[in-house]
Amino acid sequence: MIPDEKTITTIPTSPALPSHESATPVGVAAIHKALQTMPLSPGVYRMLGRKGEVLYVGKALALKKRVTSYTQVHRLPERLRRMVSETAYMEIVTTHTEAEALLLEANYIKRMQPRYNILLRDDKSYPWIILTDRHEFPQIAKHRGKPVKGASYWGPFASAWSVNQTLNLLQKAFLLRSCTDSVLQSRTRPCLLHQIHRCSAPCVDLISQEDYGALVQQARDFLSGKNPRMHEELVRQMEEAAGALQFERAAAIRDRIRGLSAMQQDASVINPTTMSDADIVAIWQIAGQSCIEVFFIRGGRNNGNRAFFPSHARDEGAADVLAAFLAQFYDDKPPPGQILVNHAISDNELLGRALELRRGKRVEIIHPQRGEKRAVLEHAELNAREALERKLAESAGQARLLRGVADLFGLANPPGRIETYDNSHIMGSHAYGVMVVAGPEGFEKRAYRKFAIKGPVTPGDDFGMMREVLERRFSRALRDREEGIRPDDWPDILLIDGGAGQYSAVRAVLDELGVTDVTLVGIAKGIDRDAGREWFHTATRPPFQLPPRDPVLYYLQRLRDEAHRFAITTHRAGRSKTLVKSELDDIPGVGPARKRALLNRFGSARGVRQAGLGELESAPGISRDTARTIYGFFHPDWTGE
């Protein structure tokens, strides 16, 4: 767990007002000022710029000694020299131990994303297998997000595909239900999963609670790796059933054996017999970039693998990147008992103690030199190298495309950020605008934005929607620019789906906002609406077309189509939420249970609206006061008499 935070501020934590900026010490002077009141205890320090933005987060056994090293600028690498020159403020948090400081540092880095730290860009949650405990017929299912009480968890799994595959095989092998409790209670006959031998149908009492409990225990043992002889036991049961002429039971056990065998074969890509619960972590570096491949081993089975591409300076060594990755990777998930790494980590013991605090049990970080563990690490290394080579090849192709875009639109350098905008609505309803972002690494989905249009929209008034989107997009960035700061998310090219009319309208909005240093491009299909014959509109040349097979044309089409896809998806999601919303949701005191009781009694929200007061009072689960509240909601002129 993250230690309690006790913040000790050595100089003001909030940025100074612009009128006081001239008096604010910057660089080494700011660090010297912070050192005047800095303790020698363990903790975490944060270096901040003039606007309060976090530049760097570090941890130390003795804060004052560690921070003092930043005043000796001639001994620092170029990257840290730049960081020191931008530092205007410092904040510290003291902790009891250095291990707690390491955990807190990793949490801060992951939350604040300071640009001078090694960053793990991992915005996805990991799926788990969940088995409910507080039910006579426990449910097995996939779960993401926060843990819930009354359930057991196995995982994590590398992807939704890997957990779905495992769930399918578990259903074949152990016949556990995957339906929700409400579905279980409402069924009157077995579902399709029972017909295809993936469920034992406890919903209609085709299996006793005792026999179902035995299946649950077998599943628990298998997932925990506690019953390696389960296959032999099932074979024995099948032979006994066949010998007793119970052929249906023998066939059912045979199907379970097939499911179990398929699961064991699926886990044999990496099948370390000497490990039960471990993560295999291998890093590979090429041209100053890193790829880290992680294999999840749980219960002796392979739960899949994922490749990560942390962001860091080109001169960072593999061991340092790996150590920073592990601290951030396990910030929101429990580490296993063993972590195998392909590079020795200098603070191996400290990192192990920190992860033990996270897990509550011993954690070993092992750098094996020979044997089976070394073999599986070499396999992970190979995957990391191949993934990084693929990414570099894709990046090289992306770089060529961006150079082509720069040449096409007269930019001095390849664009680092291209923003594409689109709108979606139906006759002015459920109106949304979207922004899609692309750059040297391809589509940057973390930077996508949705804009629910707040102002009144006239059907077909795309200009009005675009004005609102651009004003909201650039308002904060423009305030920063007025104070002399160029935002990190300032675009080089702004691409819109439209012809001369849309281009002129957007150009007018940008000029009105004061956005003059962004290249605006309009892309229109033209009169024939033929993809491949698009017309481009810019400020520097008359409308023009590109050759039909030009790679830059394909790239710009992809940007336009991605924005269109994202706009349609956003619009449909918003419209679906409205469609499933009921009038009953707005009645005070009516929650899901009472809403369900009302719908079961009256059939629809319309039936509830037309019901009399006496009918409402007689509905199951509806008290007299609640009935009067519901009746008054639909009859505003009713006085309550």
Side-chain angles (χ1 to χ4, degrees):
M1 59 182 294
I2 299 172
D4 295 335
E5 298 183 12
K6 180 183 178 183
T7 305
I8 304 174
T9 307
T10 60
I11 57 179
T13 58
S14 59
L17 296 174
S19 59
H20 300 302
E21 284 191 358
S22 59
T24 302
V26 180
V28 175
I31 296 175
H32 275 303
K33 185 175 180 180
L35 286 170
Q36 294 174 6
T37 55
M38 190 167 295
L40 282 168
S41 58
V44 173
Y45 58 92
R46 290 175 288 190
M47 293 183 167
L48 289 76
R50 283 185 178 273
K51 295 296 295 180
E53 70 277 18
V54 180
L55 303 174
Y56 183 80
V57 176
K59 60 99 175 73
L61 177 61
L63 282 167
K64 191 165 188 174
K65 289 183 178 180
R66 180 69 184 92
V67 174
T68 299
S69 66
Y70 290 104
T71 63
Q72 302 172 9
V73 180
H74 62 282
R75 296 186 177 182
L76 300 176
E78 180 60 29
R79 176 177 61 93
L80 296 184
R81 290 181 189 177
R82 292 198 305 271
M83 178 194 70
V84 169
S85 68
E86 297 175 25
T87 300
Y89 307 92
M90 286 195 68
E91 293 180 349
I92 67 168
V93 178
T94 59
T95 58
H96 297 96
T97 65
E98 191 180 9
E100 289 183 349
L102 178 59
L103 287 179
L104 188 57
E105 176 200 37
N107 180 262
Y108 278 169
I109 292 172
K110 200 165 185 180
R111 279 192 309 169
M112 301 174 182
Q113 299 284 297
R115 66 175 180 268
Y116 286 104
N117 280 99
I118 298 170
L119 302 179
L120 167 61
R121 303 191 181 278
D122 178 26
D123 58 347
K124 296 182 179 179
S125 61
Y126 291 81
W128 296 67
I129 287 178
I130 183 175
L131 189 59
T132 56
D133 295 329
R134 300 177 182 176
H135 198 283
E136 57 185 3
F137 295 107
Q139 172 201 20
I140 192 167
K142 178 176 67 176
H143 179 79
R144 286 185 186 266
K146 295 182 179 180
V148 296
K149 294 182 179 180
S152 300
Y153 288 84
W154 287 271
F157 288 79
S159 64
W161 180 87
S162 59
V163 75
N164 289 337
Q165 288 290 101
T166 303
L167 271 176
N168 288 337
L169 296 173
L170 284 170
Q171 288 175 334
K172 292 179 181 179
F174 302 105
L175 308 179
L176 303 183
R177 72 175 178 98
S178 58
C179 59
T180 62
D181 292 349
S182 59
V183 172
L184 176 75
Q185 295 167 2
S186 62
R187 291 208 66 85
T188 57
R189 60 180 182 178
C191 67
L192 179 62
L193 287 177
H194 175 72
Q195 305 297 329
I196 61 176
H197 309 295
R198 291 193 180 184
C199 180
S200 53
C203 53
V204 291
D205 298 326
L206 293 186
I207 185 172
S208 67
Q209 184 176 345
E210 181 180 356
D211 290 342
Y212 191 89
L215 293 177
V216 170
Q217 188 58 48
Q218 289 178 5
R220 290 182 185 276
D221 291 343
F222 181 79
L223 288 168
S224 302
K226 295 180 179 179
N227 193 349
R229 301 186 62 83
M230 187 178 298
H231 187 277
E232 289 81 354
E233 292 179 9
L234 289 175
V235 170
R236 180 183 57 79
Q237 293 176 15
M238 181 183 66
E239 292 175 349
E240 288 179 356
L245 304 182
Q246 299 174 353
F247 297 117
E248 290 186 4
R249 181 169 180 268
I253 297 174
R254 177 205 61 199
D255 293 338
R256 292 185 59 199
I257 292 172
R258 289 176 178 174
L260 193 64
S261 299
M263 189 179 304
Q264 291 170 336
Q265 292 170 5
D266 184 65
S268 62
V269 177
I270 283 187
N271 188 22
T273 59
T274 58
M275 288 182 288
S276 176
D277 293 327
D279 283 347
I280 300 166
V281 186
I283 183 172
W284 193 267
Q285 290 188 316
I286 302 175
Q289 298 191 46
S290 301
C291 174
I292 297 177
E293 193 82 26
V294 181
F295 282 82
F296 302 94
I297 306 299
R298 297 295 184 271
R301 295 176 310 282
N302 179 13
N303 281 359
N305 60 292
R306 278 193 60 185
F308 300 87
F309 302 92
S311 174
H312 59 82
R314 295 179 64 87
D315 58 350
E316 292 284 4
D320 292 336
V321 175
L322 190 58
F325 169 84
L326 292 175
Q328 295 176 50
F329 182 68
Y330 294 110
D331 175 66
D332 57 355
K333 62 183 71 66
Q338 287 186 341
I339 301 173
L340 274 62
V341 296
N342 66 329
H343 280 269
I345 298 173
S346 57
D347 289 338
N348 185 61
E349 184 178 348
L350 172 63
L351 182 58
R353 291 200 306 269
L355 295 181
E356 286 176 17
L357 292 175
R358 173 73 61 193
R359 183 174 186 249
K361 297 180 182 178
R362 178 175 172 78
V363 176
E364 290 183 290
I365 302 176
I366 305 171
H367 177 218
Q369 302 298 315
R370 61 185 64 85
E372 182 186 49
K373 292 179 179 178
R374 182 62 199 175
V376 295
L377 264 176
E378 289 174 352
H379 181 80
E381 266 186 355
L382 177 63
N383 279 264
R385 186 185 71 185
E386 292 177 346
L388 184 55
E389 289 173 348
R390 287 194 299 269
K391 182 177 177 62
L392 290 175
E394 293 170 0
S395 298
Q398 185 78 3
R400 286 193 296 271
L401 288 173
L402 292 178
R403 284 196 298 271
V405 171
D407 295 339
L408 180 64
F409 298 121
L411 275 66
N413 299 303
R417 182 181 174 99
I418 302 176
E419 294 181 358
T420 310
Y421 292 83
D422 199 3
N423 301 321
S424 183
H425 63 98
I426 295 180
M427 297 299 291
S429 66
H430 309 102
Y432 287 89
V434 299
M435 177 185 79
V436 167
V437 180
E441 302 298 325
F443 288 111
E444 300 176 8
K445 296 193 175 182
R446 291 177 49 154
Y448 285 18
R449 285 188 62 184
K450 308 172 185 177
F451 302 87
I453 303 301
K454 299 176 181 178
V457 179
T458 303
D461 185 15
D462 287 342
F463 296 160
M465 285 195 294
M466 186 62 70
R467 169 180 287 275
E468 179 178 333
V469 168
L470 293 175
E471 288 176 347
R472 290 165 60 184
R473 157 64 181 100
F474 286 102
S475 59
R476 181 175 178 180
L478 288 169
R479 286 197 300 269
D480 288 342
R481 293 194 63 174
E482 289 175 0
E483 298 174 5
I485 298 175
R486 177 182 169 90
D488 293 334
D489 61 352
W490 195 263
D492 298 300
I493 293 178
L494 197 155
L495 182 66
I496 60 168
D497 184 9
Q502 286 88 344
Y503 177 90
S504 299
V506 172
R507 182 71 270 171
V509 173
L510 294 178
D511 291 341
E512 183 180 328
L513 293 173
V515 180
T516 57
D517 58 345
V518 174
T519 299
L520 177 64
V521 178
I523 176 173
K525 289 184 178 179
I527 299 176
D528 54 4
R529 310 294 294 173
D530 182 16
R533 302 300 301 161
E534 282 84 355
W535 287 88
F536 292 92
H537 301 262
T538 68
T540 57
R541 56 192 292 192
F544 63 93
Q545 291 178 301
L546 293 175
R549 296 186 179 182
D550 191 322
V552 174
L553 172 62
Y554 290 153
Y555 177 64
L556 295 172
Q557 287 174 342
R558 283 179 56 208
L559 298 181
R560 187 263 320 274
D561 294 344
E562 172 66 4
H564 186 65
R565 179 204 64 79
F566 189 48
I568 293 294
T569 302
T570 302
H571 166 76
R572 287 175 177 170
R575 190 178 63 193
S576 298
K577 288 181 181 179
T578 303
L579 292 175
V580 300
K581 184 176 176 62
S582 169
E583 291 179 277
L584 306 182
D585 294 327
D586 297 326
I587 303 177
V590 175
R594 285 174 174 166
K595 177 183 174 182
R596 184 164 53 250
L598 289 169
L599 293 175
N600 288 338
R601 172 66 176 81
F602 298 104
S604 65
R606 180 181 179 183
V608 178
R609 183 172 62 250
Q610 295 175 346
L613 182 59
E615 293 178 291
L616 291 171
E617 291 178 349
S618 65
I622 305 299
S623 66
R624 181 175 182 274
D625 289 342
T626 302
R628 294 171 68 84
T629 300
I630 297 171
Y631 189 81
F633 178 83
F634 289 114
H635 302 83
D637 298 332
W638 181 58
T639 62
E641 298 177 357

